[in-house]
Amino acid sequence: MISMHQTRDGERRVLQPFTMVIFGASGDLTERKLIPALYHLTAGGHLPVEFSVIGVARRKWDDAYMRAKMREAVAKALGPEGIDERVWDDFARRLYYVPGDATDPSTFSRLDQAIADIAASTSPEVGRNRLYYLATLPSLYPKLIEGLGELEAARSDRGWGRIIVEKPFGHDLESAIQLNRLLARYFDESQVYRIDHYLGKETVQNIFVFRFANGIFEPIWNRNYIDNVQITVSETLGVGHRGAYYEEAGALRDMVQNHLLQLLALVAMEPPASFTADAVRNEKVKVLGSIPLPDVEAVTKNSVRGQYTAGVVGGEPVPGYLQEANVSPDSTTETYVALRLGIDNWRWAGVPFFIQTGKRMATRCSRITIYFKRAPHLPFQRFAVPDLKPNSLVLNIQPEQGVTLSIGAKVPGPQVRIRNVDMTFEYESTFKERSPDAYEHLLLEAIAGDATMYTRADEVEAAWKIVTAIRNAWDEGAVPLHPYPAGSMGPEAKRWLLGRGRVWNGG
Ligand code: BG6
């Protein structure tokens, strides 16, 4: 049976047998996301007949142990649905493990040998086509890129080699540029897949479809009709065991540089001429490049930062950020950030984009709201419209998934009274199909060689430029750090950012 994959622009590609190598195989991401995604892809019959997955990490595991560990991981990810034994058997026999350290050059030759051995017992193409996934600590990326780059350069077969780089991609503009340069030394840009898992979410992918498959929204998708756009990504989780990483990152680097700016780019970009990787990414780069880089004064006026203190989330008492493991007791790392950004182009001039994200907030919610301008004149008595809100369009990303249009409607009765009502489309009740996890989409696309939903070098740099400008101003002490209790929706100070008459879409 031949496996086919249809790319976004409609091209049907035959999926060739391949080997995927995961560096960081004993880590959290591999267990929670990568292996369950591969299991689901196997179950759905989306992968070629021959493929293998090799885990690499420092621990002294072997193939059998890797299979046992990954079985636990898949069982946990599937929950009550449970493992399908037939699928598992088919999948597990393709799992291998190579112990190795990124800093030891022999790791790469042993890996190469392992791939050759697997190819000898399966199909030569399993050895020829390779997808390398960097899911280790980012400090190991340079060594891995060098080692893999040399391994790729030494190959004489005509297969493909691709490298997926997990976030964080650098910690500021300069380090992102360095990382891009290093990748470019060994790989062509078309081989590099920088992952942002938000781009794999079904509802995020629907932003494209919503905007560009419907004729009715595009004419009003601009400064003439839109008052402001709000993007909220709130989480109830704290930093958990990731304190050491988070201390260096903070909400701005951890969430804004990638996920929130990607959401903004999808909402604000011009329609691409086609759904090819470069056509889409050109437009995203253009829109990110149209966000003016703020100076210290602009950052002071247009950003709010916060840090959670002890509180109650979902009925459970939780510690404050400063009490989390591996967090310095006098840390000034932000766990919440709100920004007001502008986009200097014809479509958006003068329209503020408000974004906020935080940990340990009252609710888990990712949502984009487009607030339209009010009707120019209301031919009703004042008492008929005491609290009529402007029209809004909500793109719900998670946990609710769907689209809601809020409009004014007449309340039944003898008098004219007007109230806001919602027209809602919900994924769950509309579609019977299961929504694949973001990693399923993205892995399959990398296997098929479709980079549309991966970020390009200039795109990550454009995002880092904005974030680094904000970060630098913060480092000058320009913006105070507001405490907010865990279980709230962030610091009160976020409210003044919006200006009069507006409320945050996530509360
Ligand atoms: C990750 C961040 O990229 O995204 C985490 O590092 C965050 O801090 C996570 O919790 C949120 O992803 P999701 O898919 O749960 O919204």
Side-chain angles (χ1 to χ4, degrees):
M1 196 185 74
I2 295 178
S3 289
M4 303 287 290
H5 176 74
Q6 187 158 353
T7 60
R8 259 153 234 296
D9 58 335
E11 185 192 326
R12 284 174 68 74
R13 296 190 184 171
V14 175
L15 291 185
Q16 294 149 347
F18 67 95
T19 288
M20 174 167 165
V21 183
I22 305 175
F23 293 90
S26 57
D28 196 48
L29 186 73
T30 306
E31 294 192 2
R32 273 192 318 111
K33 295 291 180 183
L34 303 181
I35 296 291
L38 289 165
Y39 168 88
H40 279 298
L41 289 172
T42 308
H46 299 296
L47 297 177
V49 179
E50 295 293 357
F51 71 92
S52 70
V53 178
I54 305 182
V56 183
R58 279 201 306 224
R59 300 194 188 171
K60 299 264 171 288
W61 293 0
D62 58 12
D63 296 347
Y65 193 77
M66 167 92 179
R67 289 171 190 165
K69 282 294 277 185
M70 296 308 139
R71 188 187 160 99
E72 278 171 28
V74 172
K76 194 165 167 202
L78 289 174
E81 184 188 326
I83 288 188
D84 178 331
E85 294 302 334
R86 273 198 13 242
V87 176
W88 177 255
D89 289 347
D90 179 30
F91 179 60
R93 68 184 171 86
R94 305 161 188 278
L95 287 177
Y96 301 88
Y97 185 77
V98 172
D101 184 332
T103 57
D104 171 6
S106 84
T107 300
F108 301 96
S109 48
R110 283 185 298 108
L111 173 65
D112 201 37
Q113 187 56 50
I115 297 176
D117 293 345
I118 296 166
S121 65
T122 52
S123 126
E125 280 178 293
V126 169
R128 260 185 237 139
N129 301 319
R130 300 176 180 190
L131 181 63
Y132 304 108
Y133 200 116
L134 309 192
T136 61
L137 287 176
S139 55
L140 297 174
Y141 288 180
K143 280 280 173 236
L144 288 171
I145 293 166
E146 282 169 27
L148 291 172
E150 277 159 20
L151 191 64
E152 281 294 297
R155 281 170 62 187
S156 55
D157 58 58
R158 297 219 319 277
W160 51 257
R162 296 175 191 140
I163 180 164
I164 302 185
V165 187
E166 251 302 332
K167 68 171 282 254
F169 194 91
H171 59 269
D172 59 8
L173 176 61
E174 191 44 44
S175 55
I177 293 175
Q178 294 303 335
L179 195 52
N180 275 333
R181 282 206 189 122
L182 184 66
L183 282 161
R185 195 178 308 152
Y186 295 102
F187 296 92
D188 186 75
E189 176 64 26
S190 63
Q191 296 176 282
V192 182
Y193 289 67
R194 297 170 194 78
I195 198 163
D196 182 319
H197 78 282
Y198 266 57
L199 294 179
K201 289 184 192 276
E202 202 66 67
T203 39
V204 172
Q205 301 200 346
N206 189 46
I207 300 173
F208 268 107
V209 176
F210 185 81
R211 286 194 58 196
F212 305 131
N214 295 300
I216 59 169
F217 298 112
E218 204 47 30
I220 54 169
W221 209 261
N222 57 51
R223 63 192 303 273
N224 298 325
Y225 298 94
I226 293 178
D227 178 78
N228 72 95
V229 176
Q230 296 189 18
I231 304 177
T232 290
V233 176
S234 63
E235 298 184 87
T236 50
L237 292 176
V239 293
H241 59 275
R242 293 163 78 222
Y245 153 77
Y246 202 84
E247 277 284 89
E248 297 293 315
L252 185 66
R253 290 187 175 106
D254 184 47
M255 297 294 286
V256 175
Q257 186 275 335
N258 36 72
H259 311 323
L260 278 96
L261 286 178
Q262 283 296 324
L263 294 178
L264 183 148
L266 294 180
V267 170
M269 68 190 270
E270 294 300 312
S274 67
F275 263 121
T276 53
D278 276 332
V280 169
R281 298 185 299 180
N282 287 345
E283 298 306 335
K284 287 203 285 166
V285 172
K286 267 196 249 166
V287 81
L288 290 173
S290 310
I291 297 177
L293 296 182
D295 57 15
V296 175
E297 195 191 332
V299 172
T300 314
K301 282 199 195 127
N302 296 309
S303 70
V304 171
R305 16 185 340 243
Q307 190 185 69
Y308 62 82
T309 55
V312 177
V313 177
E316 296 288 320
V318 294
Y321 179 69
L322 297 181
Q323 289 85 53
E324 301 277 15
N326 301 319
V327 167
S328 152
D330 54 3
S331 169
T332 56
T333 299
E334 81 287 354
T335 59
Y336 172 90
V337 55
L339 300 172
R340 174 192 174 113
L341 298 170
I343 300 178
D344 284 353
N345 63 19
W346 273 51
R347 187 187 285 269
W348 295 116
V351 178
F353 280 70
F354 299 102
I355 65 181
Q356 64 166 342
T357 182
K359 295 223 180 271
R360 284 285 190 231
M361 310 254 289
T363 53
R364 173 169 184 254
C365 152
S366 297
R367 154 182 310 167
I368 302 171
T369 308
I370 318 292
Y371 288 102
F372 292 94
K373 292 188 172 167
R374 287 184 182 274
H377 166 70
L378 291 177
F380 309 105
Q381 301 288 348
R382 254 168 194 254
F383 66 80
V385 285
D387 41 30
L388 181 65
K389 299 189 191 71
N391 296 119
S392 65
L393 182 76
V394 183
L395 307 176
N396 278 315
I397 292 167
Q398 63 188 23
E400 281 91 38
Q401 303 194 328
V403 178
T404 298
L405 181 65
S406 164
I407 54 176
K410 182 179 173 303
V411 180
Q415 289 175 340
V416 176
R417 289 188 73 84
I418 302 174
R419 216 179 66 197
N420 284 85
V421 294
D422 289 346
M423 289 169 67
T424 297
F425 143 67
E426 281 169 353
Y427 269 78
E428 212 183 347
S429 52
T430 309
F431 295 115
K432 298 288 158 275
E433 289 87 348
R434 158 183 175 270
S435 272
D437 181 69
Y439 281 88
E440 287 173 53
H441 275 300
L442 293 172
L443 287 181
L444 189 59
E445 286 165 15
I447 292 163
D450 180 1
T452 314
M453 288 296 168
Y454 285 85
T455 54
R456 209 169 55 187
D458 49 351
E459 197 178 342
V460 276
E461 289 178 17
W464 270 122
K465 266 189 200 150
I466 302 161
V467 162
T468 304
I470 296 168
R471 191 68 252 175
N472 288 347
W474 285 0
D475 287 345
E476 290 192 23
V479 178
L481 183 71
H482 298 278
Y484 65 96
S488 68
M489 280 310 278
E492 277 303 308
K494 75 179 199 178
R495 311 220 177 268
W496 57 252
L497 203 62
L498 296 179
R500 275 191 42 205
R502 296 186 182 124
V503 287
W504 276 102
N505 66 340

